[in-house]
Amino acid sequence: MTVKVQIKGIREGLLITVGEGEWEQVHQAVLEQLDEQGAFLHGARLALDVGNHALKAAELGKLRSDISQHEMTLWAVLSN
């Protein structure tokens, strides 16, 4: 199953919206998008909309760390 990841520009930076799926697949899909658009997104501030995903602190921390390795900043997480 392919997880949908949408990236769009907002006033404060970029908004990444993720689709349904297991969190590990979603996490990988986000990192793949960041890899594909790495040079364009370099230094960006990211807001992540996780929709209905219930994240544990460790999962969110790992994602934030992985995003930092791409030289981007996770500054907000939106959730239903």
Side-chain angles (χ1 to χ4, degrees):
M1 179 174 113
T2 303
V3 176
K4 183 178 176 184
V5 175
Q6 180 182 23
I7 300 175
K8 74 177 196 175
I10 58 175
R11 184 178 312 173
E12 295 83 10
L14 297 171
L15 174 64
I16 299 177
T17 304
V18 298
E20 297 297 316
E22 295 294 321
W23 178 248
E24 265 312 305
Q25 293 173 326
V26 171
H27 184 122
Q28 269 312 115
V30 169
L31 295 180
E32 287 171 9
Q33 282 292 318
L34 296 181
D35 283 339
E36 288 175 15
Q37 300 181 26
F40 179 71
L41 301 177
H42 183 79
R45 290 173 26 122
L46 307 176
L48 179 67
D49 184 348
V50 297
N52 293 324
H53 291 280
L55 299 181
K56 296 178 181 166
E59 293 169 329
L60 186 56
K62 175 151 178 37
L63 180 62
R64 189 185 76 209
S65 175
D66 291 343
I67 288 172
S68 292
Q69 289 178 2
H70 285 83
E71 298 188 22
M72 297 170 211
T73 304
L74 179 64
W75 64 274
V77 177
L78 309 170
S79 170
N80 291 336

